[in-house]
Amino acid sequence: MNVILYALIGVNLLLFVLMGVDKHKAKTGQMRIPEATLFFLAVLGGSVGGILGMLAFRHKTRHKLFTVGFTLILLMEAAGAAYLIMR
């Protein structure tokens, strides 16, 4: 159980940091982090880190795909976790 918890913390921290890195790259005209990578990490359990990164760095907050997408992923992950806990 601890391994899963540490993995979730790690993927959330990674996605949070990557949102900041992508914001910096966007401002400086560098090659960006693919959106598919950001969504993949969110699906792996990093949706909270992605949402917090969006808010902290004001990055991709105007993109409905991200605001709605990350929120829906978080809700599905929460429902899945609740189901597993209740079982």
Side-chain angles (χ1 to χ4, degrees), residues 12-87:
N12 276 284
L13 285 173
L14 176 61
L15 187 50
F16 179 83
V17 169
L18 286 180
M19 292 298 283
V21 169
D22 194 49
K23 174 70 174 200
H24 175 73
K25 287 181 174 210
K27 283 183 165 183
T28 58
Q30 297 178 38
M31 190 170 181
R32 306 278 301 278
I33 297 168
E35 291 181 351
T37 301
L38 301 175
F39 271 103
F40 178 70
L41 291 171
V43 168
L44 287 181
S47 56
V48 172
I51 291 168
L52 293 175
M54 283 174 47
L55 297 173
F57 302 112
R58 295 183 185 187
H59 186 51
K60 301 221 181 259
T61 55
R62 293 183 184 180
H63 298 273
K64 293 256 188 239
L65 180 65
F66 279 87
T67 56
V68 173
F70 278 6
T71 303
L72 287 175
I73 292 169
L74 174 61
L75 291 173
M76 288 188 299
E77 290 170 347
Y83 171 77
L84 291 175
I85 291 169
M86 298 292 231
R87 255 175 51 139

